[in-house]
Amino acid sequence: MSRVALNYIYNENARTRRPIIINKEMGNKINPYLLKKDFPVFQDKVDGRELIYLDNAATTQKPYTVIEAVRKYSQQFHGNPHRGAHYLSVKATELYDQARQKVREFIKARSAKEIIFTRNTTEAINLVAYSYGMNFIDEGDEIVLSIAEHHSNILPWQQVARSRRARLKYMYLDEDGRLSKDEVKSKITERTKLVCLTHMSNVLGTIFPVREIIEYAHQKGALVLIDGAQGIPHVEVDVQELNADFYVFSGHKMLGPMGIGVLYAREELLEVMPPFLSGGDMIEYVSEDTASFAPLPEKFEAGTQNVEGAVGLAAAIDYLNSIGMDKIHQHEQDLTAYALERMQGISYLTLYGPTDLEERGGIISFNVAGIHPHDLASIVDLDGIALRAGHHCAQPLMKYLQLVASCRISFYLYNTKEDIDQLIDSLDRARSWFSNGTK
Ligand code: C6P
């Protein structure tokens, strides 16, 4: 990065800049044009083009405040937490603990002991699978998943089912991409030990009624893991109100850095679960042959911690809070309504997922007649539009939908209706290019 660009990112205004919300003109709604100013990636051309970023389900962009928080930590406070009496080690410990408290408040967990930092959603699910699944799921028990799960919420359970001789059962979706009550009731039974369900489908955008499903599963004596990778960035989450047993998510999908994720689990469960990884910093006492473990949450955080990741995640939470999750959700709903209305009127497009806004969020999968999704993604990239094409790491769902691949757009707080208009112009150009051989 050039010196000029570095100065721009680290200048004083950027450090103190706060997201701006226009109340007069826009009622209580956020103004994405002003929010874009908080994100360095939108201040300059990317690869020579104005960026239209519609791949937020894959990862989100970072505001200056997150970049600055990580820089400040790295420059002024970097030390190995829990391991030294010197200033930097103490400071790193303090910042790491504060970040944990910030996450606790954000998801309204009872105690910071219930917040375990992981690398990402995938590692958090693996932690539950290897620690809880491999020890508490027995032969003949059933693990119930939805067919809409990401591979990260399927493969660990396949391993558990194989090792423990348990049975995997899938809840299938109706033709609108929803889970019916009948389907839920027919699959979750007294034999169910664990239900693993995504909060929002990363392919169809369906927001599942997780609170009702958790309540029903508990009546049957099952625990529930919610994959919140596509949930918590977009809707307010209160884990106590949801009554979730496990809730997992990734920092990089909510404006934070990559390499930091969270497992929330009820304290009683974490107390009886054995460590997933073992080594430094998760112990109380070690002898030649045996060891006793540190109390929660350290018991599940072996090795040197990702302090800069935690600090960046805390800054991302501050940013989201300064705007308000309710406003972010409303903005995404407005964009989704606008996009669906425009896209439904285009004859060459096939859209997938629920049509009712009440049941979905800002992820839209579609196909363009006559153009392979991968070709389409490369073509719109020439117009500066970032979207995702492929199976979206959800092959069982794609097979169920009888699709090989689809294109997918996904919104966040900085997207505008103009982004959607530009996408549709680009799709029109691609279509006529494929029809006439010119673009
Ligand atoms: N989905 C997407 O483009 P990680 O990689 O661990 O941060 O997140 C995994 C994951 C788990 N569950 C759901 C519902 C997800 O959407 C994802 C990540 C990205 O859809 C990358 S494949």
Side-chain angles (χ1 to χ4, degrees):
M1 186 184 289
S2 72
R3 183 178 285 267
V4 176
L6 276 173
N7 283 341
Y8 186 60
I9 289 177
Y10 300 143
N11 74 28
E12 268 315 310
N13 285 341
R15 273 180 217 182
T16 52
R17 191 180 283 154
R18 287 281 168 274
I20 308 162
I21 301 169
I22 290 205
N23 287 317
K24 267 192 235 138
E25 291 160 35
M26 307 195 60
N28 212 15
K29 295 189 172 183
I30 58 178
N31 182 338
Y33 292 97
L34 290 178
L35 290 190
K36 270 192 175 167
K37 293 182 194 297
D38 292 329
F39 291 78
V41 74
F42 297 120
Q43 305 318 309
D44 223 333
K45 295 195 168 161
V46 172
D47 200 21
R49 295 177 285 264
E50 298 290 338
L51 174 65
I52 296 165
Y53 191 73
L54 295 170
D55 197 18
N56 294 286
T59 196
T60 51
Q61 298 299 331
K62 295 181 192 66
Y64 286 105
T65 50
V66 169
I67 296 167
E68 171 57 14
V70 175
R71 182 205 63 79
K72 192 169 174 185
Y73 163 76
S74 306
Q75 199 166 306
Q76 298 176 23
F77 304 123
H78 178 61
N80 201 323
H82 303 159
R83 288 159 173 91
H86 64 79
Y87 173 79
L88 290 178
S89 174
V90 172
K91 197 69 198 170
T93 308
E94 234 173 72
L95 290 170
Y96 192 66
D97 291 347
Q98 281 167 15
R100 198 190 305 278
Q101 277 298 344
K102 183 84 67 187
V103 173
R104 183 198 70 72
E105 283 161 29
F106 190 60
I107 65 171
K108 302 181 182 62
R110 210 173 294 123
S111 157
K113 292 182 194 165
E114 300 179 317
I115 309 298
I116 311 297
F117 283 124
T118 61
R119 278 191 306 138
N120 45 39
T121 302
T122 305
E123 189 178 272
I125 296 173
N126 274 275
L127 191 163
V128 179
Y130 283 90
S131 173
Y132 177 80
M134 291 294 190
N135 292 287
F136 294 92
I137 292 180
D138 294 316
E139 185 165 352
D141 285 344
E142 293 181 350
I143 304 168
V144 175
L145 317 176
S146 90
I147 194 67
E149 298 313 305
H150 186 277
H151 295 162
S152 295
N153 205 20
I154 297 177
L155 273 76
W157 305 115
Q158 291 178 344
Q159 302 277 17
V160 171
R162 210 170 292 127
S163 298
R164 305 293 294 174
R165 295 169 180 271
R167 187 170 165 224
L168 278 191
K169 265 167 84 177
Y170 286 91
M171 299 185 285
Y172 295 98
L173 308 183
D174 66 16
E175 63 273 20
D176 277 338
R178 303 167 307 185
L179 263 181
S180 73
K181 280 192 183 130
D182 286 348
E183 181 65 5
V184 171
K185 287 186 176 165
S186 73
K187 297 291 165 63
I188 302 176
T189 68
E190 277 75 14
R191 300 167 89 107
T192 310
K193 194 74 183 251
L194 183 67
V195 177
C196 302
L197 178 65
T198 185
H199 200 156
M200 169 157 74
S201 161
N202 70 320
V203 179
L204 298 174
T206 317
I207 297 182
F208 293 109
V210 286
R211 206 173 70 81
E212 289 78 356
I213 293 173
I214 291 170
E215 195 178 336
Y216 186 73
H218 285 170
Q219 282 168 19
K220 299 287 168 191
L223 298 184
V224 183
L225 177 145
I226 302 295
D227 172 353
Q230 305 293 354
I232 203 153
H234 308 288
V235 294
E236 202 167 331
V237 169
D238 177 333
V239 288
Q240 290 190 68
E241 203 258 331
L242 275 184
N243 208 6
D245 301 292
F246 305 102
Y247 193 100
V248 295
F249 54 99
S250 299
H252 71 93
K253 292 187 198 288
M254 50 189 288
L255 309 180
M258 289 182 168
I260 187 82
V262 173
L263 160 66
Y264 157 81
R266 285 194 293 108
E267 190 176 340
E268 313 87 88
L269 292 168
L270 290 173
E271 285 293 358
V272 296
M273 286 161 54
F276 168 45
L277 301 173
S278 44
D281 219 39
M282 50 72 72
I283 55 91
E284 197 174 57
Y285 180 75
V286 183
S287 66
E288 283 192 23
D289 299 318
T290 186
S292 56
F293 305 124
L296 293 173
E298 280 85 21
K299 174 175 138 187
F300 287 103
E301 294 182 2
T304 296
Q305 299 80 350
N306 179 3
V307 183
E308 47 263 72
V311 164
L313 176 59
I317 290 174
D318 281 340
Y319 187 91
L320 293 171
N321 278 336
S322 72
I323 295 167
M325 290 309 296
D326 50 342
K327 291 198 185 78
I328 292 170
H329 181 60
Q330 189 52 53
H331 177 64
E332 292 175 20
Q333 292 298 91
D334 292 349
L335 290 175
T336 307
Y338 181 75
L340 287 177
E341 197 189 316
R342 285 218 57 195
M343 293 172 88
Q344 274 158 356
I346 300 176
S347 59
Y348 62 75
L349 287 180
T350 307
L351 305 182
Y352 309 102
T355 43
D356 189 343
L357 266 188
E358 295 286 306
E359 295 168 327
R360 63 168 307 140
I363 292 179
I364 302 175
S365 275
F366 62 94
N367 270 316
V368 173
I371 312 183
H372 191 280
H374 284 133
D375 292 336
L376 191 95
S378 303
I379 294 167
V380 300
D381 178 56
L382 299 174
D383 291 330
I385 297 172
L387 55 71
R388 183 165 175 195
H391 54 60
H392 315 293
C393 301
Q395 283 182 336
L397 174 63
M398 299 301 275
K399 181 159 187 241
Y400 178 70
L401 298 171
Q402 297 184 328
L403 287 175
V404 176
S406 73
C407 293
R408 181 191 72 185
I409 53 173
S410 47
F411 306 129
Y412 213 16
L413 67 179
Y414 38 60
N415 287 117
T416 63
K417 289 184 179 167
E418 214 179 311
D419 291 342
I420 296 163
D421 293 339
Q422 301 223 29
L423 166 77
I424 290 172
D425 288 351
S426 187
L427 295 180
D428 282 342
R429 279 195 296 276
R431 240 314 261 202
S432 54
W433 189 37
F434 263 71
S435 315
N436 312 326
T438 52
K439 191 173 186 218

